Structures are given as structure tokens and as C-alpha cells.
Amino acid sequence: MPKQQQRGIGDADESSTSRHHAPVATSAPAAGPWRMGIISNPNSGSNQKKFARIRRYVDEQRDLPHKIVTNAEDVVRALEELARRDTNLIAVNAGDGTIHAVLTALFHHRPFPTLPLLALLSGGTTNMTPKDLGLQGSRIQSLARIRAWSQSGGGEGFIVRRPILRVQHPTIRRPLYGLFFGAASIAKGIDLFHARIQGTGLKGNPANALILARFLVAIAARDLDQLGAARATITVDGRTLPAEHFILILTYTLERLIFGMQPHWGEEDGALRLTAAAATARHFLRVMAAMCQGRRSRMAIPPNGFYSHNAHEVRMALDGRFALDGERFEVDARQGELVLDAGGQAAFLQLSR
């Protein structure tokens, strides 16, 4: 059985072993009237110190339902209650892991006949998803802006629709939904954060920079253990990559990752972006330097061990850990393949300042 490395928001008690999922609820409406609700996780990184102020603000908005969650079961119940209120705009004040739990509940449990519009606030530690698809800055100010937009159209709003990544494995009890899958060095970096960095108080980009620095040192030393090298057979739309061991495996539907990185250069029309680097990859430091600047290195080619594709489906016989939006899981290739595909679309609200 897969071992989830961090009990909490990513866990759930529903089961599903089917490779095929029934059609999801219809997409969020393009226009109001909007009925707003809020989901908050007080244990998410940025919420831990300022949540009392946020809660006081929301309590003053007497007609605004506010659901407090700390695990996936809470998320399912919160969404069911909001669905009974005919809510169609949900502000998620939490981090990437809670957003993953919200997406999994929306697409797997399907409490809404029509998916609500989502407004993402940066309430977590890394906040990679809100930085790409949500609102930046003060969460209280962001809630006020969302409320003003929902009531009177105050502020210029944009609705962005994005494919949602679905992850399935024979031993995982139900499909997982999110926006960013990472294995090999990504899973190793998340382990490092929880084991050594979280206790220092570093969060967000400073913590990510420290992990990246350790990763680059390990690359220079060719220390595959510190890089979290993983054995995997990766098949992209029926084509198997030639490498068997990887130090980097990413599959995502975000536009930008941490530090604004855009580490993809595939030319196909698939909704999933896959980027992988073999354990034998050459010129890795030069390729990473280009990625951090949001561009592709001319060294990032298959003969040097680098692969990037826009895929419809990725199958992966993986031994070891993977992370979905920061939540950690473990699988054994002998028990079957991971299957990654697009499980539907969600709509996200963005507001210009």
C-alpha cells in the first residue's frame, strides 16, 4: 500500500480503484450573481500567525459563510455545506495542500452540480498554486476585493480556466486531483523541508532557495542519494522515455512554478506538462540556470538526458515517493503504474489591482 508521508489535509477515506472516472460536474459559470463562501485552514503556513485577525474580519461579514478545515474530511463536509447554500464562489484561504484537497473533493466527491468559481489566497508556506492562479498580498484585503467584485463587479476580474491533473494508482484509494506532481529530487526537497528547514522558521522563497542551493551542490558533486534519484519507467502518450533513473520528474498544469520558473518546452498539444532529467543528465547546472531565468537552455535535449513534452497521459512505473501539491505519497512499481491525465477543468478568479 502507498504510505502517505504527511497525515492531514491530503488524506481521505473514500475508495476508488477504477482507471476510468465518470464525467465531472459542469464548469463554473462565467457570470453571477455570485454567492460567496470561504474555506480556511488555520494550520496552513501563513495562516498560523495571522488567522485570528482574518477570522475577526470574516465574522464581521455576517452573511458570509466561513468553513474552518484541518483535514480532507473537513474539506468534504465544508464543500457539502456550501453546496447546500448554493454557493458558487469559494475563496480558499490556505496553502497548496488544502487546494489539492479542495480539488480532489470537488472532482471526486462532486458535491456541486456545477463547479464553483475558486479564488485562491496565499495562506500556505510555498503558495505555488495561488501565485500562479490566485490573488497576492494581504489575505484580508484580498477577501475584501473578492467580496466587492462578487457584489458589484468592483475591480477588473478575470476568470482563468485550467486543466486539473488527476493521479491514479491501483493502491491509492481514490483519484487525487491537483496542479503539480513531482518525484525524485522534488520529493527529496519536500522531505528536506519537513525534516530540517521547517523548524527554522524559513518559509516561501527563502526556504525554496535553500533547498535549491542544496540541490545544486548535490548536482555538482553527482551525489545521486542527496538528489533523491528515483528508478522509473515513464511513458508519454504511448512513447517510453529511454532513461530508467531520474533526478527530476515534473508533471503539472501550472504556468509558473517557484521563482517564476517555466521549465517546459514541449511542442505537443497535450494539457499536461512533463519535464524530466535522467540521473546521467549532462550540463545540468547550465540547464538549471536557464530554467531559473524562465528560458530554455540549448543543452536541454534528449541526448543530454533532458525531456519535455505536452502530454495527454503519462504512465509511470515509479519506486519511491511522489508529491502532489506538496502532499507526499509512496508507491511501489511492482503494484502497478501511476496514471496521470487531465481530470477536468476548474475556473479561478484573478483580480487586477
Side-chain angles (χ1 to χ4, degrees):
M1 293 294 290
K3 178 183 178 184
Q4 183 169 320
Q5 300 300 308
Q6 182 179 344
R7 171 77 182 176
I9 200 69
D11 203 17
D13 59 2
E14 293 295 320
S15 63
S16 174
T17 58
S18 173
R19 287 289 189 201
H20 304 286
H21 203 53
V24 300
T26 56
S27 187
W34 299 106
R35 295 171 295 278
M36 180 179 170
I38 303 172
I39 288 178
S40 289
N41 184 352
N43 296 334
S44 296
S46 298
N47 277 341
Q48 291 178 12
K49 292 184 179 180
K50 297 182 178 180
F51 185 70
R53 291 175 54 194
I54 295 170
R55 190 165 192 171
R56 283 196 300 271
Y57 167 79
V58 176
D59 287 347
E60 292 171 358
Q61 320 300 313
R62 298 183 183 278
D63 61 338
L64 193 58
H66 186 200
K67 303 301 177 184
I68 309 300
V69 302
T70 59
N71 57 54
E73 290 80 7
D74 289 349
V75 169
V76 173
R77 287 191 293 268
L79 289 171
E80 289 172 346
E81 291 180 31
L82 292 173
R84 286 193 289 269
R85 290 172 171 259
D86 293 326
T87 305
N88 61 1
L89 168 59
I90 299 176
V92 183
N93 170 34
D96 297 327
T98 305
I99 295 167
H100 146 66
V102 167
L103 291 171
T104 296
L106 287 173
F107 282 87
H108 180 64
H109 296 275
R110 287 180 251 161
F112 290 83
T114 299
L115 290 173
L117 178 63
L118 300 175
L120 308 181
L121 280 61
S122 297
T125 299
T126 303
N127 296 311
M128 184 161 60
T129 303
K131 286 178 181 176
D132 186 50
L133 286 168
L135 284 74
Q136 304 302 305
S138 161
R139 293 184 296 289
I140 291 177
Q141 292 178 9
S142 293
L143 286 170
R145 292 168 58 208
I146 297 167
R147 187 163 172 78
W149 178 84
S150 69
Q151 291 178 331
S152 61
E156 188 173 1
F158 304 89
I159 295 178
V160 178
R161 301 186 188 276
R162 189 66 57 83
I164 302 302
L165 178 64
R166 176 173 56 190
V167 179
Q168 298 181 89
H169 188 270
T171 60
I172 294 178
R173 294 171 298 179
R174 77 303 189 233
L176 307 172
Y177 292 82
L179 291 143
F180 176 83
F181 170 100
S185 59
I186 301 301
K188 184 77 171 183
I190 293 173
D191 287 345
L192 175 64
F193 172 79
H194 286 284
R196 299 187 183 181
I197 297 176
Q198 189 174 34
T200 68
L202 283 179
K203 297 179 180 179
N205 281 343
N208 293 330
L210 180 56
I211 293 170
L212 179 60
R214 291 178 66 105
F215 178 56
L216 294 177
V217 169
I219 290 172
R222 302 303 300 176
D223 188 336
L224 295 183
D225 182 61
Q226 288 300 313
L227 289 170
R231 181 179 178 85
T233 300
I234 302 175
T235 302
V236 182
D237 291 335
R239 296 171 296 170
T240 300
L241 302 186
E244 294 184 350
H245 289 83
F246 294 85
I247 54 176
L248 180 67
I249 304 173
L250 306 173
T251 304
Y252 54 97
T253 60
L254 296 169
E255 290 290 339
R256 296 170 298 171
L257 306 184
I258 58 171
F259 309 122
M261 291 173 60
Q262 296 177 304
H264 52 267
W265 53 90
E267 297 178 353
E268 303 91 343
D269 63 357
L272 277 56
R273 292 181 168 129
L274 168 86
T275 298
T280 56
R282 298 183 295 169
H283 311 295
F284 204 105
L285 292 177
R286 293 176 65 178
V287 172
M288 282 297 298
M291 286 183 180
C292 289
Q293 297 174 45
R295 59 184 180 85
R296 178 189 177 184
S297 168
R298 62 185 178 86
M299 300 294 182
I301 54 177
N304 288 338
F306 296 94
Y307 311 92
S308 187
H309 298 280
N310 298 331
H312 297 284
E313 180 187 75
V314 176
R315 288 180 172 264
M316 196 177 304
L318 172 71
D319 281 323
R321 294 184 181 89
F322 72 87
L324 183 64
D325 295 339
E327 296 295 308
R328 296 169 288 169
F329 303 83
E330 188 164 325
V331 289
D332 184 334
R334 293 172 298 181
Q335 296 177 296
E337 291 180 311
L338 282 162
V339 179
L340 288 68
D341 61 7
Q345 276 195 352
F348 302 89
L349 174 64
Q350 297 184 332
L351 294 174
S352 60
R353 292 187 177 274

